[in-house]
Amino acid sequence: MTRTRRARLKVTVAADLVILTIRDGRLNVLVVERANEPFAGELALPGGFLRGGESLDDTAARELAEETGMDAASLHLEQVGVYSAPDRDPRDPRVIASAYLAIAPDLPLPTAGSDARAATWLPVERVRETGLAFDHDEILRDAVELARVKLQFTTLATAFCGAEFTIGDLREVYEVVWGVQLDKPNFHRKVTDAEGFLVATGGKRPTVNGRPAALYRAGPARELTPPMMRPRRATQSA
Amino acid sequence: MTRTRRARLKVTVAADLVILTIRDGRLNVLVVERANEPFAGELALPGGFLRGGESLDDTAARELAEETGMDAASLHLEQVGVYSAPDRDPRDPRVIASAYLAIAPDLPLPTAGSDARAATWLPVERVRETGLAFDHDEILRDAVELARVKLQFTTLATAFCGAEFTIGDLREVYEVVWGVQLDKPNFHRKVTDAEGFLVATGGKRPTVNGRPAALYRAGPARELTPPMMRPRRATQSA
DNA sequence: TCAAAAGTGTTGGGTATACACCCATGT
DNA sequence: ACATGGGTGTATACCCAACACTTTTGA
């Protein structure tokens, strides 16, 4: 597009994944231990390189299927941004990454055996302390922030749940991702009133000691109107 | 990051710019006439290729300065997304583009003489009819939608105005970008009440025939709380 | 009968909308 | 004077946070 034909820089492009789920009341992210240099032995986000005939969305979907064993088409997957600082890879200064956010229900475990990489769930809070390779700390931060915003305006929260879930499950998603306590009665009304957000299956799930909760599945709506309001201040760390 | 060392695909990366401004009460976008194949002679978004030592943000900022003659640091510039469909460039299937949204005040004119490319402002509405090269129609659509959302939750609207502007100018930004009519009194209160959005300069600008309007400049706030509400239905096409 | 979680009712305060009205200036 | 756009006041409706309260189950 420049009229003077300048040598076009060719670069390698990776799709890196921030796969989030909720385990034991905490927000977890899937991380892998790197087998090769650079950063061999350190933790990093899973990812892979763009192949011929693929779009980056395809690359991300393929990697997601490989890492989690789940059908990528059924999971939520969306772009976070491009990370292209010249020094982000200490060996090859010309590797740029397109980051993707994926939301998954609490899987039994990632398919650890199928791939030599040690892929594990770790609480986001802990990962922030120990740190990740490359600029993956920054990517993780941006992806989590995106998830937080998306919860507010879209029906994304259902992607954290399985096919059937209770309103309590859904409320836990919001409380864990936002790190707040929400008022149960108001939350119940809010989500049941939102058109297309939830569809009652008619079933009920018994609780440990309490009234059984009605079961729902995700409705057709993608946008959440009116949006879910975020409390001004966090009440409890989650 | 794959453990089997597969040949890494190398691709060319471009930063394409959606530079928006408001002219004559319409939302305009800067487009260039392509000098080279593919799509020679057709309209396209301005853009340029990533160079050594640059991040894509740098590339976008450099291109913005070249196209508009303005200091890129002072203009709003943010990432829209990555476009990487394998067939998006009919010649080289491996050119991907990172799209950027830039907001500019109504410049006298882009520096047409400095570059052989014919860069001109065109109303977004008209560009939608005539179409752009590559997948730039899609990029334009996404960028405009991003701008619309950002107006709601951030103080981005001031980027459309010059250093000093009236509340009427600011209201026009919202009305043009959203394609709606806003209530003048309520808009005035809303933006003056929002902490950090506007700073009164003390000056006044005479109107053609009416009371002079107070002048403001952009305040330090980046987020707009509470958000600017978007009317349910458009009242007038703009 | 009690504990625990689900779910409903009700109320007060804040925010948006609609619109009447006043202000300041050029012609 | 009057037209024109800037700006203020005010009443109504709606939405949301808070919380009291009822329901339904297991122990």
Side-chain angles (χ1 to χ4, degrees):
Chain A
M1 292 172 190
T2 50
R3 78 182 183 287
T4 57
R5 280 227 178 270
R6 177 184 289 267
R8 292 181 182 179
L9 188 66
K10 289 244 174 186
V11 303
T12 305
V13 186
D16 288 341
L17 291 171
V18 178
I19 310 171
L20 299 178
T21 196
I22 290 175
R23 284 169 68 88
D24 308 323
R26 290 170 161 223
L27 185 65
N28 281 47
V29 59
L30 191 76
V31 295
V32 298
E33 190 178 331
R34 287 185 55 80
N36 305 319
E37 291 293 337
F39 298 108
E42 292 189 32
L43 294 179
L45 297 173
F49 291 107
L50 178 68
R51 295 181 186 168
E54 274 185 346
S55 69
L56 277 163
D57 291 28
D58 296 333
T59 307
R62 172 172 54 75
E63 283 295 320
L64 179 61
E66 289 176 10
E67 297 293 343
T68 67
M70 294 190 73
D71 179 21
S74 65
L75 262 65
H76 179 89
L77 189 63
E78 76 179 295
Q79 219 175 83
V80 176
V82 181
Y83 297 80
S84 59
D87 58 350
R88 61 180 297 279
D89 187 321
R91 291 198 155 183
D92 182 351
R94 300 288 47 178
V95 177
I96 71 175
S98 181
Y100 282 81
L101 168 65
I103 307 290
D106 189 0
L107 308 170
L109 258 185
T111 58
S114 71
D115 196 311
R117 281 173 289 183
T120 53
W121 293 115
L122 282 182
V124 168
E125 200 177 289
R126 180 173 308 171
V127 171
R128 284 202 211 281
E129 296 166 5
T130 60
L132 295 173
F134 302 104
D135 51 3
H136 289 184
D137 288 320
E138 184 188 358
I139 294 176
L140 175 62
R141 193 166 9 91
D142 293 348
V144 169
E145 182 53 34
L146 180 64
R148 281 201 243 261
V149 171
K150 286 270 171 178
L151 279 196
Q152 212 172 341
F153 303 103
T154 74
T155 59
L156 176 62
T158 57
F160 279 103
C161 304
E164 289 200 335
F165 53 88
T166 69
I167 293 185
D169 295 339
L170 195 65
R171 185 164 46 78
E172 192 195 13
V173 171
Y174 279 92
E175 293 185 335
V176 167
V177 176
W178 284 353
V180 298
Q181 293 266 111
L182 297 176
D183 183 87
K184 283 194 283 191
N186 292 335
F187 183 86
H188 188 278
R189 251 189 308 267
K190 184 90 184 185
V191 296
T192 50
D193 287 356
E195 201 90 8
F197 193 7
L198 301 181
V199 178
T201 66
K204 293 196 182 293
R205 177 195 297 171
T207 59
V208 178
N209 202 13
R211 174 175 172 175
L215 287 170
Y216 296 84
R217 51 186 173 77
R222 307 302 308 162
E223 303 222 335
L224 191 52
T225 51
M228 186 74 58
M229 282 308 169
R230 221 163 139 177
R232 307 282 179 262
R233 313 181 311 165
T235 54
Q236 307 249 5
S237 73
Chain B
M1 292 173 190
T2 50
R3 79 182 183 286
T4 56
R5 279 226 179 267
R6 178 184 291 265
R8 292 182 182 179
L9 188 65
K10 289 241 173 188
V11 303
T12 306
V13 186
D16 287 341
L17 290 171
V18 178
I19 310 171
L20 299 178
T21 196
I22 290 175
R23 283 168 70 88
D24 307 323
R26 290 171 161 222
L27 186 65
N28 280 48
V29 59
L30 192 75
V31 295
V32 299
E33 190 179 330
R34 286 185 56 78
N36 305 320
E37 291 293 338
F39 299 106
E42 291 189 33
L43 293 179
L45 296 173
F49 292 106
L50 178 68
R51 295 182 187 167
E54 274 184 346
S55 70
L56 277 163
D57 291 28
D58 296 334
T59 307
R62 173 172 53 76
E63 284 294 321
L64 180 61
E66 290 177 9
E67 297 292 343
T68 66
M70 293 189 73
D71 180 19
S74 64
L75 263 64
H76 179 88
L77 188 62
E78 76 178 295
Q79 218 176 84
V80 176
V82 181
Y83 296 80
S84 58
D87 58 350
R88 62 180 296 279
D89 187 321
R91 290 197 157 184
D92 182 351
R94 301 287 46 175
V95 178
I96 72 176
S98 181
Y100 283 81
L101 168 66
I103 307 290
D106 188 0
L107 309 171
L109 255 185
T111 58
S114 72
D115 197 311
R117 281 174 288 183
T120 53
W121 294 114
L122 282 182
V124 168
E125 199 177 289
R126 180 175 308 173
V127 171
R128 282 203 213 280
E129 296 165 6
T130 61
L132 295 172
F134 302 105
D135 51 3
H136 288 184
D137 287 320
E138 185 188 356
I139 294 176
L140 175 62
R141 193 165 10 90
D142 293 349
V144 170
E145 182 54 35
L146 180 64
R148 280 201 243 260
V149 172
K150 286 269 170 177
L151 280 195
Q152 212 172 341
F153 303 104
T154 73
T155 59
L156 175 62
T158 58
F160 279 103
C161 303
E164 289 200 336
F165 52 88
T166 70
I167 293 185
D169 296 338
L170 195 65
R171 186 165 43 79
E172 192 195 15
V173 170
Y174 279 92
E175 292 186 335
V176 167
V177 176
W178 284 353
V180 298
Q181 293 265 111
L182 297 176
D183 183 88
K184 284 193 284 191
N186 293 333
F187 182 87
H188 185 100
R189 252 191 306 269
K190 184 87 185 187
V191 296
T192 50
D193 287 357
E195 200 91 8
F197 192 8
L198 302 180
V199 178
T201 65
K204 292 196 183 291
R205 177 197 297 171
T207 58
V208 178
N209 202 11
R211 173 176 173 175
L215 285 170
Y216 297 84
R217 50 186 174 76
R222 307 301 308 160
E223 304 221 336
L224 192 52
T225 51
M228 186 73 59
M229 281 310 170
R230 224 165 137 174
R232 307 284 179 262
R233 313 181 308 166
T235 54
Q236 307 250 7
S237 73

